[in-house]
């Protein structure tokens, strides 16, 4: 027997996990980004903003503007990190804890932008030690 329930009767508990999960914790900031009476797209505007920018970046990449499209994709992820940091509620943009979301969006956004700037031909960003590393591994 263990602790009593709300009515004072002792109840038997087990240390096993329940067969069915009844509830999960919402991520911090995972509430609606607009009031509940607003239409669904307005309640989820942060994730729709990021997804729209990524879709535009993919379209530009498909239309042979590779560098501009991939920089836009990286910038969209960085904008998602900024929104996750500044806004109290971001809807479905909140997946994990605030710190983890910001770190993930930031690292991926910076990596995509840097790789887009280093893309051949005519890279806008050259990192000398990477060229030396490639010289010994690939060339």
């Amino acid at each position: 027997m263990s602790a009593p329930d709300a009515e004072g009767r002792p109840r038997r508990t087990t240390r096993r996990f329940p067969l069915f999960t009844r509830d999960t914790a919402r991520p911090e900031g995972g509430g609606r980004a607009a009031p509940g009476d607003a239409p669904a797209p307005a309640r989820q505007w942060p994730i729709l903003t990021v997804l729209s920018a990524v879709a535009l970046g993919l379209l530009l990449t498909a239309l042979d503007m590779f560098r501009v499209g991939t920089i836009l994709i990286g910038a969209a992820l960085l904008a998602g990190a900024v929104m996750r940091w500044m806004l109290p509620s971001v809807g479905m943009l909140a997946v994990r804890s605030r710190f983890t979301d910001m770190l993930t969006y930031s690292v991926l956004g910076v990596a995509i932008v840097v790789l887009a700037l280093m893309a051949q031909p005519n890279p806008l960003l050259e990192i000398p030690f990477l060229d030396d590393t490639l010289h010994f591994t690939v060339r």
Side-chain angles (χ1 to χ4, degrees):
M1 295 297 168
S2 69
D5 61 7
E7 297 168 357
R9 294 181 304 225
R11 64 184 171 116
R12 183 180 168 152
T13 59
T14 178
R15 294 180 63 161
R16 292 183 183 176
F17 290 107
L19 188 58
F20 298 103
T21 303
R22 296 205 179 5
D23 194 16
T24 56
R26 201 180 240 180
E28 175 189 348
R32 295 179 174 134
D37 59 347
R43 290 190 306 249
Q44 297 298 333
W45 69 267
I47 189 78
L48 291 175
T49 303
V50 172
L51 289 177
S52 298
V54 167
L56 180 61
L58 289 173
L59 179 66
L60 290 174
T61 303
L63 295 175
D64 208 23
M65 290 187 266
F66 172 77
R67 194 178 315 268
V68 175
T70 51
I71 288 174
L72 183 60
I73 293 169
L77 288 172
L78 291 172
V82 169
M83 283 190 277
R84 188 70 174 100
W85 176 49
M86 297 197 63
L87 300 175
S89 295
V90 290
M92 289 174 33
L93 192 62
V95 179
R96 300 162 217 85
S97 70
R98 186 177 306 260
F99 174 77
T100 305
D101 284 343
M102 287 181 354
L103 184 70
T104 304
Y105 295 145
S106 299
V107 167
L108 290 175
V110 167
I112 290 172
V113 169
V114 167
L115 290 173
L117 292 174
M118 293 174 59
Q120 296 289 336
N122 305 323
L124 299 175
L125 176 66
E126 292 185 23
I127 301 176
F129 74 88
L130 286 180
D131 191 41
D132 295 338
T133 305
L134 288 175
H135 176 72
F136 291 114
T137 58
V138 178
R139 294 182 190 163

